[in-house]
mmCIF file of all heavy atoms in Angstrom:
data_model
loop_
_atom_site.group_PDB
_atom_site.id
_atom_site.type_symbol
_atom_site.label_atom_id
_atom_site.label_comp_id
_atom_site.label_asym_id
_atom_site.label_seq_id
_atom_site.Cartn_x
_atom_site.Cartn_y
_atom_site.Cartn_z
ATOM 1 N N GLN A 1 0.608 12.711 19.930
ATOM 2 C CA GLN A 1 0.683 11.290 19.569
ATOM 3 C C GLN A 1 -0.469 10.893 18.643
ATOM 4 O O GLN A 1 -0.282 10.095 17.712
ATOM 5 C CB GLN A 1 0.667 10.440 20.835
ATOM 6 C CG GLN A 1 1.934 10.537 21.665
ATOM 7 C CD GLN A 1 1.874 9.686 22.910
ATOM 8 O OE1 GLN A 1 0.855 9.033 23.174
ATOM 9 N NE2 GLN A 1 2.956 9.704 23.685
ATOM 10 N N LEU A 2 -1.653 11.466 18.925
ATOM 11 C CA LEU A 2 -2.796 11.168 18.078
ATOM 12 C C LEU A 2 -2.569 11.677 16.659
ATOM 13 O O LEU A 2 -2.865 10.983 15.672
ATOM 14 C CB LEU A 2 -4.056 11.796 18.678
ATOM 15 C CG LEU A 2 -5.366 11.549 17.923
ATOM 16 C CD1 LEU A 2 -5.684 10.050 17.867
ATOM 17 C CD2 LEU A 2 -6.503 12.319 18.578
ATOM 18 N N ILE A 3 -2.015 12.892 16.564
ATOM 19 C CA ILE A 3 -1.717 13.442 15.230
ATOM 20 C C ILE A 3 -0.682 12.574 14.524
ATOM 21 O O ILE A 3 -0.813 12.255 13.323
ATOM 22 C CB ILE A 3 -1.225 14.897 15.363
ATOM 23 C CG1 ILE A 3 -2.372 15.802 15.837
ATOM 24 C CG2 ILE A 3 -0.697 15.405 14.025
ATOM 25 C CD1 ILE A 3 -1.927 17.192 16.243
ATOM 26 N N GLN A 4 0.369 12.200 15.263
ATOM 27 C CA GLN A 4 1.388 11.330 14.664
ATOM 28 C C GLN A 4 0.797 9.986 14.248
ATOM 29 O O GLN A 4 1.117 9.451 13.173
ATOM 30 C CB GLN A 4 2.532 11.115 15.653
ATOM 31 C CG GLN A 4 3.376 12.359 15.894
ATOM 32 C CD GLN A 4 4.457 12.123 16.916
ATOM 33 O OE1 GLN A 4 4.570 11.017 17.475
ATOM 34 N NE2 GLN A 4 5.256 13.153 17.186
ATOM 35 N N SER A 5 -0.078 9.462 15.119
ATOM 36 C CA SER A 5 -0.716 8.182 14.794
ATOM 37 C C SER A 5 -1.588 8.311 13.553
ATOM 38 O O SER A 5 -1.578 7.432 12.671
ATOM 39 C CB SER A 5 -1.569 7.701 15.972
ATOM 40 O OG SER A 5 -0.763 7.473 17.114
ATOM 41 N N ASN A 6 -2.326 9.423 13.465
ATOM 42 C CA ASN A 6 -3.155 9.645 12.267
ATOM 43 C C ASN A 6 -2.290 9.771 11.020
ATOM 44 O O ASN A 6 -2.627 9.240 9.954
ATOM 45 C CB ASN A 6 -4.006 10.897 12.451
ATOM 46 C CG ASN A 6 -5.120 10.700 13.476
ATOM 47 O OD1 ASN A 6 -5.639 9.603 13.636
ATOM 48 N ND2 ASN A 6 -5.488 11.763 14.176
ATOM 49 N N THR A 7 -1.151 10.487 11.178
ATOM 50 C CA THR A 7 -0.232 10.624 10.040
ATOM 51 C C THR A 7 0.318 9.262 9.631
ATOM 52 O O THR A 7 0.388 8.922 8.431
ATOM 53 C CB THR A 7 0.912 11.568 10.402
ATOM 54 O OG1 THR A 7 0.381 12.823 10.843
ATOM 55 C CG2 THR A 7 1.813 11.807 9.203
ATOM 56 N N GLN A 8 0.717 8.481 10.636
ATOM 57 C CA GLN A 8 1.217 7.136 10.334
ATOM 58 C C GLN A 8 0.142 6.277 9.690
ATOM 59 O O GLN A 8 0.417 5.488 8.768
ATOM 60 C CB GLN A 8 1.730 6.483 11.614
ATOM 61 C CG GLN A 8 3.017 7.085 12.146
ATOM 62 C CD GLN A 8 3.490 6.430 13.423
ATOM 63 O OE1 GLN A 8 2.805 5.573 13.981
ATOM 64 N NE2 GLN A 8 4.653 6.847 13.897
ATOM 65 N N ILE A 9 -1.091 6.434 10.163
ATOM 66 C CA ILE A 9 -2.190 5.655 9.583
ATOM 67 C C ILE A 9 -2.391 6.042 8.118
ATOM 68 O O ILE A 9 -2.589 5.179 7.246
ATOM 69 C CB ILE A 9 -3.477 5.865 10.402
ATOM 70 C CG1 ILE A 9 -3.364 5.148 11.758
ATOM 71 C CG2 ILE A 9 -4.689 5.343 9.639
ATOM 72 C CD1 ILE A 9 -4.449 5.497 12.733
ATOM 73 N N GLU A 10 -2.336 7.358 7.844
ATOM 74 C CA GLU A 10 -2.486 7.805 6.460
ATOM 75 C C GLU A 10 -1.350 7.266 5.588
ATOM 76 O O GLU A 10 -1.575 6.789 4.468
ATOM 77 C CB GLU A 10 -2.514 9.334 6.411
ATOM 78 C CG GLU A 10 -3.758 9.948 7.046
ATOM 79 C CD GLU A 10 -5.027 9.588 6.306
ATOM 80 O OE1 GLU A 10 -4.966 9.419 5.072
ATOM 81 O OE2 GLU A 10 -6.081 9.474 6.958
ATOM 82 N N ASN A 11 -0.117 7.366 6.122
ATOM 83 C CA ASN A 11 1.028 6.835 5.362
ATOM 84 C C ASN A 11 0.896 5.338 5.149
ATOM 85 O O ASN A 11 1.208 4.812 4.069
ATOM 86 C CB ASN A 11 2.325 7.146 6.100
ATOM 87 C CG ASN A 11 2.635 8.639 6.134
ATOM 88 O OD1 ASN A 11 2.275 9.367 5.210
ATOM 89 N ND2 ASN A 11 3.296 9.091 7.182
ATOM 90 N N THR A 12 0.426 4.648 6.194
ATOM 91 C CA THR A 12 0.243 3.196 6.087
ATOM 92 C C THR A 12 -0.827 2.868 5.054
ATOM 93 O O THR A 12 -0.677 1.918 4.259
ATOM 94 C CB THR A 12 -0.144 2.611 7.456
ATOM 95 O OG1 THR A 12 0.844 2.956 8.418
ATOM 96 C CG2 THR A 12 -0.259 1.096 7.373
ATOM 97 N N LYS A 13 -1.900 3.674 5.032
ATOM 98 C CA LYS A 13 -2.939 3.455 4.025
ATOM 99 C C LYS A 13 -2.381 3.652 2.620
ATOM 100 O O LYS A 13 -2.665 2.867 1.700
ATOM 101 C CB LYS A 13 -4.103 4.422 4.259
ATOM 102 C CG LYS A 13 -5.000 4.031 5.432
ATOM 103 C CD LYS A 13 -6.148 5.010 5.563
ATOM 104 C CE LYS A 13 -7.065 4.632 6.729
ATOM 105 N NZ LYS A 13 -8.193 5.589 6.894
ATOM 106 N N LYS A 14 -1.570 4.726 2.461
ATOM 107 C CA LYS A 14 -0.962 4.955 1.147
ATOM 108 C C LYS A 14 -0.048 3.798 0.755
ATOM 109 O O LYS A 14 -0.064 3.330 -0.390
ATOM 110 C CB LYS A 14 -0.174 6.260 1.174
ATOM 111 C CG LYS A 14 -1.060 7.496 1.264
ATOM 112 C CD LYS A 14 -0.211 8.756 1.297
ATOM 113 C CE LYS A 14 -1.082 10.004 1.400
ATOM 114 N NZ LYS A 14 -0.271 11.253 1.474
ATOM 115 N N GLU A 15 0.762 3.329 1.723
ATOM 116 C CA GLU A 15 1.647 2.198 1.438
ATOM 117 C C GLU A 15 0.855 0.947 1.104
ATOM 118 O O GLU A 15 1.230 0.175 0.204
ATOM 119 C CB GLU A 15 2.556 1.941 2.644
ATOM 120 C CG GLU A 15 3.613 3.030 2.865
ATOM 121 C CD GLU A 15 4.451 2.772 4.090
ATOM 122 O OE1 GLU A 15 4.172 1.770 4.796
ATOM 123 O OE2 GLU A 15 5.383 3.554 4.350
ATOM 124 N N VAL A 16 -0.259 0.755 1.853
ATOM 125 C CA VAL A 16 -1.116 -0.412 1.575
ATOM 126 C C VAL A 16 -1.703 -0.320 0.175
ATOM 127 O O VAL A 16 -1.756 -1.316 -0.574
ATOM 128 C CB VAL A 16 -2.225 -0.520 2.640
ATOM 129 C CG1 VAL A 16 -3.285 -1.531 2.212
ATOM 130 C CG2 VAL A 16 -1.639 -0.946 3.980
ATOM 131 N N ASP A 17 -2.142 0.873 -0.202
ATOM 132 C CA ASP A 17 -2.675 1.060 -1.563
ATOM 133 C C ASP A 17 -1.601 0.769 -2.608
ATOM 134 O O ASP A 17 -1.848 0.097 -3.623
ATOM 135 C CB ASP A 17 -3.208 2.480 -1.722
ATOM 136 C CG ASP A 17 -4.440 2.736 -0.865
ATOM 137 O OD1 ASP A 17 -5.138 1.751 -0.526
ATOM 138 O OD2 ASP A 17 -4.695 3.911 -0.524
ATOM 139 N N THR A 18 -0.378 1.317 -2.349
ATOM 140 C CA THR A 18 0.728 1.082 -3.284
ATOM 141 C C THR A 18 1.059 -0.400 -3.370
ATOM 142 O O THR A 18 1.259 -0.952 -4.468
ATOM 143 C CB THR A 18 1.966 1.870 -2.848
ATOM 144 O OG1 THR A 18 1.636 3.251 -2.719
ATOM 145 C CG2 THR A 18 3.087 1.717 -3.847
ATOM 146 N N LEU A 19 1.121 -1.051 -2.195
ATOM 147 C CA LEU A 19 1.419 -2.485 -2.183
ATOM 148 C C LEU A 19 0.318 -3.290 -2.871
ATOM 149 O O LEU A 19 0.598 -4.280 -3.557
ATOM 150 C CB LEU A 19 1.602 -2.965 -0.738
ATOM 151 C CG LEU A 19 2.864 -2.478 -0.025
ATOM 152 C CD1 LEU A 19 2.831 -2.885 1.441
ATOM 153 C CD2 LEU A 19 4.113 -3.033 -0.686
ATOM 154 N N THR A 20 -0.924 -2.838 -2.698
ATOM 155 C CA THR A 20 -2.034 -3.533 -3.361
ATOM 156 C C THR A 20 -1.894 -3.431 -4.878
ATOM 157 O O THR A 20 -2.078 -4.413 -5.618
ATOM 158 C CB THR A 20 -3.369 -2.917 -2.925
ATOM 159 O OG1 THR A 20 -3.472 -2.988 -1.501
ATOM 160 C CG2 THR A 20 -4.529 -3.675 -3.553
ATOM 161 N N LYS A 21 -1.525 -2.209 -5.358
ATOM 162 C CA LYS A 21 -1.296 -2.047 -6.789
ATOM 163 C C LYS A 21 -0.136 -2.914 -7.257
ATOM 164 O O LYS A 21 -0.204 -3.561 -8.310
ATOM 165 C CB LYS A 21 -1.023 -0.577 -7.106
ATOM 166 C CG LYS A 21 -2.247 0.319 -6.930
ATOM 167 C CD LYS A 21 -1.893 1.763 -7.253
ATOM 168 C CE LYS A 21 -3.092 2.678 -7.057
ATOM 169 N NZ LYS A 21 -2.752 4.100 -7.333
ATOM 170 N N ASP A 22 0.949 -2.896 -6.452
ATOM 171 C CA ASP A 22 2.115 -3.718 -6.819
ATOM 172 C C ASP A 22 1.747 -5.195 -6.861
ATOM 173 O O ASP A 22 2.185 -5.934 -7.759
ATOM 174 C CB ASP A 22 3.253 -3.480 -5.828
ATOM 175 C CG ASP A 22 3.824 -2.074 -5.932
ATOM 176 O OD1 ASP A 22 3.633 -1.440 -6.988
ATOM 177 O OD2 ASP A 22 4.451 -1.616 -4.954
ATOM 178 N N VAL A 23 0.955 -5.619 -5.877
ATOM 179 C CA VAL A 23 0.544 -7.034 -5.834
ATOM 180 C C VAL A 23 -0.297 -7.390 -7.055
ATOM 181 O O VAL A 23 -0.128 -8.465 -7.664
ATOM 182 C CB VAL A 23 -0.223 -7.329 -4.523
ATOM 183 C CG1 VAL A 23 -0.916 -8.677 -4.596
ATOM 184 C CG2 VAL A 23 0.728 -7.307 -3.337
ATOM 185 N N SER A 24 -1.197 -6.466 -7.431
ATOM 186 C CA SER A 24 -2.016 -6.737 -8.617
ATOM 187 C C SER A 24 -1.145 -6.805 -9.874
ATOM 188 O O SER A 24 -1.333 -7.678 -10.733
ATOM 189 C CB SER A 24 -3.074 -5.646 -8.767
ATOM 190 O OG SER A 24 -2.458 -4.383 -8.967
ATOM 191 N N GLU A 25 -0.150 -5.886 -9.961
ATOM 192 C CA GLU A 25 0.760 -5.932 -11.107
ATOM 193 C C GLU A 25 1.586 -7.210 -11.106
ATOM 194 O O GLU A 25 1.801 -7.829 -12.159
ATOM 195 C CB GLU A 25 1.675 -4.708 -11.085
ATOM 196 C CG GLU A 25 0.943 -3.391 -11.365
ATOM 197 C CD GLU A 25 1.869 -2.191 -11.256
ATOM 198 O OE1 GLU A 25 3.057 -2.407 -10.914
ATOM 199 O OE2 GLU A 25 1.421 -1.064 -11.518
ATOM 200 N N VAL A 26 2.048 -7.592 -9.906
ATOM 201 C CA VAL A 26 2.833 -8.834 -9.803
ATOM 202 C C VAL A 26 1.976 -10.037 -10.186
ATOM 203 O O VAL A 26 2.449 -10.967 -10.854
ATOM 204 C CB VAL A 26 3.401 -8.985 -8.378
ATOM 205 C CG1 VAL A 26 3.970 -10.380 -8.180
ATOM 206 C CG2 VAL A 26 4.480 -7.938 -8.123
ATOM 207 N N LYS A 27 0.709 -10.011 -9.790
ATOM 208 C CA LYS A 27 -0.185 -11.101 -10.173
ATOM 209 C C LYS A 27 -0.329 -11.170 -11.689
ATOM 210 O O LYS A 27 -0.312 -12.256 -12.279
ATOM 211 C CB LYS A 27 -1.556 -10.905 -9.530
ATOM 212 C CG LYS A 27 -1.599 -11.245 -8.053
ATOM 213 C CD LYS A 27 -2.996 -11.088 -7.510
ATOM 214 C CE LYS A 27 -3.060 -11.456 -6.022
ATOM 215 N NZ LYS A 27 -4.422 -11.283 -5.469
ATOM 216 N N ILE A 28 -0.465 -9.995 -12.320
ATOM 217 C CA ILE A 28 -0.568 -9.975 -13.787
ATOM 218 C C ILE A 28 0.699 -10.535 -14.420
ATOM 219 O O ILE A 28 0.662 -11.343 -15.353
ATOM 220 C CB ILE A 28 -0.839 -8.542 -14.274
ATOM 221 C CG1 ILE A 28 -2.226 -8.083 -13.809
ATOM 222 C CG2 ILE A 28 -0.751 -8.465 -15.784
ATOM 223 C CD1 ILE A 28 -2.493 -6.607 -14.027
ATOM 224 N N VAL A 29 1.867 -10.086 -13.862
ATOM 225 C CA VAL A 29 3.146 -10.581 -14.395
ATOM 226 C C VAL A 29 3.261 -12.090 -14.190
ATOM 227 O O VAL A 29 3.733 -12.833 -15.070
ATOM 228 C CB VAL A 29 4.326 -9.852 -13.718
ATOM 229 C CG1 VAL A 29 5.642 -10.482 -14.112
ATOM 230 C CG2 VAL A 29 4.322 -8.370 -14.098
ATOM 231 N N VAL A 30 2.823 -12.570 -13.013
ATOM 232 C CA VAL A 30 2.883 -14.011 -12.726
ATOM 233 C C VAL A 30 2.002 -14.783 -13.701
ATOM 234 O O VAL A 30 2.390 -15.845 -14.217
ATOM 235 C CB VAL A 30 2.468 -14.276 -11.268
ATOM 236 C CG1 VAL A 30 2.230 -15.761 -11.038
ATOM 237 C CG2 VAL A 30 3.548 -13.780 -10.309
ATOM 238 N N GLU A 31 0.817 -14.253 -13.966
ATOM 239 C CA GLU A 31 -0.064 -14.912 -14.936
ATOM 240 C C GLU A 31 0.571 -14.947 -16.321
ATOM 241 O O GLU A 31 0.512 -15.969 -17.022
ATOM 242 C CB GLU A 31 -1.412 -14.181 -14.990
ATOM 243 C CG GLU A 31 -2.234 -14.292 -13.722
ATOM 244 C CD GLU A 31 -2.655 -15.710 -13.413
ATOM 245 O OE1 GLU A 31 -2.847 -16.492 -14.367
ATOM 246 O OE2 GLU A 31 -2.780 -16.055 -12.222
ATOM 247 N N GLN A 32 1.208 -13.814 -16.695
ATOM 248 C CA GLN A 32 1.897 -13.795 -17.989
ATOM 249 C C GLN A 32 3.038 -14.810 -18.020
ATOM 250 O O GLN A 32 3.238 -15.507 -19.013
ATOM 251 C CB GLN A 32 2.437 -12.392 -18.271
ATOM 252 C CG GLN A 32 1.346 -11.375 -18.569
ATOM 253 C CD GLN A 32 1.905 -9.981 -18.810
ATOM 254 O OE1 GLN A 32 3.099 -9.742 -18.607
ATOM 255 N NE2 GLN A 32 1.057 -9.063 -19.223
ATOM 256 N N LYS A 33 3.792 -14.866 -16.898
ATOM 257 C CA LYS A 33 4.893 -15.832 -16.836
ATOM 258 C C LYS A 33 4.364 -17.262 -16.914
ATOM 259 O O LYS A 33 4.970 -18.125 -17.566
ATOM 260 C CB LYS A 33 5.704 -15.638 -15.550
ATOM 261 C CG LYS A 33 6.435 -14.303 -15.462
ATOM 262 C CD LYS A 33 7.488 -14.185 -16.524
ATOM 263 C CE LYS A 33 8.251 -12.875 -16.409
ATOM 264 N NZ LYS A 33 9.243 -12.704 -17.496
#
């Protein structure tokens, strides 16, 4: 369970990073709009 939790945490961190990038891109697009 700990290994699975660590894996999920890593995946969640990657998703958070991706979402953060997407949010920054969306913010740029919103500013352009």
Side-chain angles (χ1 to χ4, degrees):
Q1 290 180 358
L2 181 61
I3 292 169
Q4 290 178 359
S5 298
N6 289 329
T7 305
Q8 289 179 355
I9 288 169
E10 292 295 328
N11 293 329
T12 304
K13 284 182 180 179
K14 290 180 181 178
E15 290 178 357
V16 168
D17 293 336
T18 305
L19 290 173
T20 303
K21 291 180 181 178
D22 292 339
V23 167
S24 62
E25 291 177 357
V26 169
K27 284 183 179 179
I28 293 170
V29 172
V30 168
E31 293 296 329
Q32 290 178 352
K33 295 295 182 183

